[in-house]
Amino acid sequence: MSRRIEKAIKLATEAHEGQTRKSGEAYISHPLAVMKILEDWGMDEDTVIAGVLHDTIEDTDMTLEQIKSEFGEPVAFLVDGVTKLSDARSGMRDLDTYLPQTKDNLLRLLIALGSDIRVLIIKLADRLHNMRTLSALPPDKQKKIAKETLEVFAPLADRLNMGRLRVELADIAFSYVDPKRYTELQKILEKRNRAAEKSIQKTKKDVANLLKREKIQYEMDGRVKSIYSLHKKLMKYDQNIDAIYDLLAIRIIVNDITTCYLVLGLIHSLYTPMDGRVKDYIAMPKQNGYQSLHTTVITPDKRIIEFQIRTKEMHDYAEHGLAASFWYNEQKLTENYRTGKIQHLPTHLLWITELQQTAAHLREGKKVDLKKLKLNLFADKIFVYTPKGDIIDLPVGALPLDFAYRLHSEIGGHVMGVKVNGKMVSLNTRLKHGDVVEILTSKKQTANMSWFDKIFTAHARQKLRQQLNSGK
Ligand code: MN
């Protein structure tokens, strides 16, 4: 453990001295648990320290100036951000001054927190530990906090593709919001799993044998279905559990993208895939950046099983989302909108940049079209047009080269320029819903390395890589 973290623990312990949680434990157990969660997520040192200190401003005599002089401006900024939102009422008051127009809590919270994404991550770690220890609170508080978690924090974890966190938050919260239903569904799931146990084992063995025969390195495990997501699906399908095809799922993790597709083909050679249930989230990632191949198959003994095939990196990202991308990109996310610098985020998280800009505009009193923002934040896809009027759908965040490679790799490989709605624009221009996109090509222009920075979809990236490798 670093000296700075040790110092933070010492100061926080002294500051919270004598305070206890509702459970009777010393208060410091909470910030320390939050710290541990942030460390597990692989967050940077400043964020971990801010996690240790996150309740000191509100609950102790410690001041922001003290934190600033001991640990520096970035840590103080993070603690300040978390403090502003720790009290739900004052947090919401704060939101009201910026956003009187909307009652959408998730949107409001996102915008208020948009200044430094790490504030959001600390807030999520804080909420996770509070949910894990919710039983110590009186029932009326339990319900209120659980509801807020379902409405705001679990969807937020989903937006950040923090899959493991989303499942834990939602399932704990649901067990408090509707304990009877929770237990019922838990029993139903257990029963189903028991009944299918043999079939799952046999399927795993058959697939394992095939993969070994093909000399493919892999890891395989089952995935546990979240009770809350089962509840939501049952509501959608009139409580008909037979309409839900992903109750049983097997996950296969391999070394690279090519192998993902190979494994998909192999599975289809063993089992009959269900019509319309093959989903390529590698070429077309979900908006939160989730990537995987999904296919639902019918086994010889008539069980329906979903396979999820992905690389190790995709898997880490699906489990830990934004936190994992810190890890992979080693990004230093210290700047905030106040310094006028925009954070450098991976392209699938560009919506965060958009959020930061919106937050800045709101604080400056500029007008913001929230409807449009909401559309951009929550829609999975945009539809754009070729000059002839053909519709091309792309994930939100797509750039002209994604469009070009989608039309044809020959077109993608010779892009000279692009017109959007009749005007020349740069290759960094994000395409918007309804844009008419015209690609100008030249035989002399060929693909080059710098294009990797101007691409959003995995599909285009793959095509570009192929072209560069083949030297065309
Ligand atoms: Mn806290």
Side-chain angles (χ1 to χ4, degrees):
M1 191 182 288
S2 82
R3 304 265 324 228
R4 286 177 80 221
I5 297 180
E6 277 172 17
K7 189 163 84 179
I9 293 174
K10 189 168 164 280
L11 289 181
T13 308
E14 285 165 10
H16 287 294
E17 181 75 63
Q19 298 174 347
T20 51
R21 302 197 87 210
K22 283 275 183 310
S23 61
E25 277 177 291
Y27 194 86
I28 190 67
S29 63
H30 167 63
L32 290 182
V34 170
M35 170 190 90
K36 180 77 180 48
I37 292 168
L38 291 168
E39 280 177 342
D40 286 348
W41 289 350
M43 296 306 296
D44 61 293
E45 193 179 276
D46 280 350
T47 308
V48 172
I49 292 172
V52 176
L53 301 171
H54 81 271
D55 278 331
T56 54
I57 299 301
E58 199 179 3
D59 299 338
T60 78
D61 293 335
M62 209 185 274
T63 64
L64 263 186
E65 283 65 42
Q66 241 175 305
I67 293 178
K68 199 166 154 183
S69 71
E70 294 280 357
F71 302 101
E73 162 76 35
V75 173
F77 177 80
L78 292 174
V79 174
D80 189 37
V82 180
T83 306
K84 281 193 177 129
L85 276 135
S86 61
D87 173 9
R89 256 176 308 139
S90 77
M92 286 301 161
R93 244 195 335 269
D94 203 30
L95 291 172
D96 272 332
T97 54
Y98 300 124
L99 293 168
Q101 313 94 308
T102 175
K103 288 274 169 265
D104 183 325
N105 280 340
L106 175 58
L107 186 64
R108 287 151 61 103
L109 189 77
L110 277 173
I111 291 169
L113 290 176
S115 48
D116 188 322
I117 200 70
R118 294 176 305 171
V119 171
L120 237 151
I121 290 182
I122 298 168
K123 194 68 205 155
L124 284 167
D126 179 44
R127 179 54 60 120
L128 177 59
H129 185 247
N130 285 336
M131 291 308 289
R132 283 176 178 170
T133 51
L134 195 60
S135 62
L137 294 189
D140 58 319
K141 274 209 167 158
Q142 287 175 349
K143 277 235 157 80
K144 199 175 147 251
I145 293 172
K147 260 187 105 175
E148 189 190 36
T149 300
L150 278 187
E151 280 163 14
V152 178
F153 291 93
L156 187 57
D158 187 42
R159 283 300 279 115
L160 301 173
N161 199 13
M162 299 171 86
R164 196 178 288 184
L165 174 68
R166 172 185 56 82
V167 170
E168 189 175 350
L169 284 178
D171 279 9
I172 298 177
F174 186 52
S175 75
Y176 284 97
V177 169
D178 193 345
K180 221 180 112 213
R181 187 68 180 140
Y182 180 86
T183 322
E184 259 170 40
L185 290 177
Q186 206 176 24
K187 283 197 188 125
I188 292 175
L189 260 187
E190 271 165 22
K191 211 174 131 198
R192 287 254 162 175
N193 282 333
R194 254 200 319 276
E197 177 74 26
K198 258 197 183 153
S199 178
I200 287 269
Q201 291 311 332
K202 165 121 177 58
T203 307
K204 276 187 172 171
K205 217 174 105 197
D206 292 346
V207 172
N209 285 339
L210 180 58
L211 296 182
K212 272 180 210 143
R213 211 160 48 233
E214 298 292 327
K215 299 200 173 25
I216 292 169
Q217 282 185 16
Y218 69 92
E219 280 169 47
M220 181 159 46
D221 61 34
R223 81 97 172 76
V224 182
K225 175 102 185 137
S226 144
I227 296 200
Y228 182 62
S229 74
L230 174 63
H231 164 72
K232 277 207 326 206
K233 276 204 176 161
L234 282 171
M235 306 256 280
K236 198 165 135 196
Y237 295 110
D238 291 327
Q239 305 301 323
N240 175 15
I241 197 160
D242 294 319
I244 296 171
Y245 296 137
D246 64 349
L247 283 176
L248 308 173
I250 294 174
R251 203 172 269 154
I252 300 175
I253 297 162
V254 295
N255 287 335
D256 53 57
I257 291 180
T258 317
T259 313
C260 291
Y261 289 98
L262 184 61
V263 169
L264 180 74
L266 288 170
I267 286 168
H268 288 171
S269 75
L270 271 186
Y271 308 110
T272 316
M274 279 177 79
D275 196 22
R277 299 283 308 179
V278 184
K279 290 175 198 156
D280 186 348
Y281 296 121
I282 292 181
M284 300 282 278
K286 289 190 185 178
Q287 198 203 352
N288 63 11
Y290 175 88
Q291 288 189 294
S292 222
L293 298 175
H294 289 191
T295 183
T296 307
V297 303
I298 304 165
T299 63
D301 58 346
K302 301 283 174 279
R303 297 268 178 206
I304 294 170
I305 297 178
E306 182 182 271
F307 281 91
Q308 303 176 347
I309 309 156
R310 52 178 82 147
T311 65
K312 178 85 177 71
E313 184 171 345
M314 289 172 195
H315 181 61
D316 280 356
Y317 188 65
E319 298 269 284
H320 303 296
L322 182 63
S325 75
F326 276 81
W327 185 256
Y328 276 106
N329 296 282
E330 288 174 38
Q331 312 235 356
K332 207 164 175 270
L333 297 170
T334 49
E335 288 87 5
N336 60 71
Y337 69 95
R338 283 196 305 210
T339 65
K341 284 180 207 153
I342 296 298
Q343 290 173 357
H344 296 284
L345 290 167
T347 23
H348 55 259
L349 292 171
L350 279 176
W351 62 272
I352 290 169
T353 309
E354 196 170 323
L355 215 56
Q356 291 174 315
Q357 284 161 346
T358 305
H361 283 165
L362 282 166
R363 275 157 224 250
E364 288 159 14
K366 284 187 195 155
K367 264 199 133 176
V368 169
D369 188 346
L370 286 175
K371 267 210 195 102
K372 218 174 111 196
L373 177 74
K374 196 172 163 153
L375 210 74
N376 288 345
L377 285 177
F378 297 105
D380 281 309
K381 280 177 182 171
I382 52 167
F383 294 92
V384 296
Y385 299 87
T386 68
K388 282 186 191 156
D390 292 331
I391 299 178
I392 306 286
D393 68 312
L394 290 164
V396 173
L399 300 160
L401 283 173
D402 297 303
F403 175 86
Y405 275 105
R406 178 67 93 66
L407 294 179
H408 199 283
S409 33
E410 273 304 299
I411 299 178
H414 294 282
V415 174
M416 192 183 66
V418 58
K419 278 185 185 174
V420 171
N421 303 325
K423 271 195 211 128
M424 290 297 295
V425 298
S426 85
L427 292 180
N428 286 319
T429 309
R430 284 179 74 186
L431 300 178
K432 292 193 302 295
H433 197 64
D435 279 343
V436 178
V437 186
E438 186 181 352
I439 299 293
L440 311 173
T441 58
S442 153
K443 281 262 170 309
K444 283 180 209 146
Q445 178 69 54
T446 51
N448 63 72
M449 286 295 287
S450 75
W451 283 7
F452 278 116
D453 294 332
K454 301 175 180 109
I455 274 176
F456 180 75
T457 60
H459 169 258
R461 206 174 303 130
Q462 202 182 345
K463 293 286 169 206
L464 174 58
R465 198 172 296 131
Q466 280 168 8
Q467 286 174 342
L468 292 174
N469 287 344
S470 71
K472 267 192 233 168

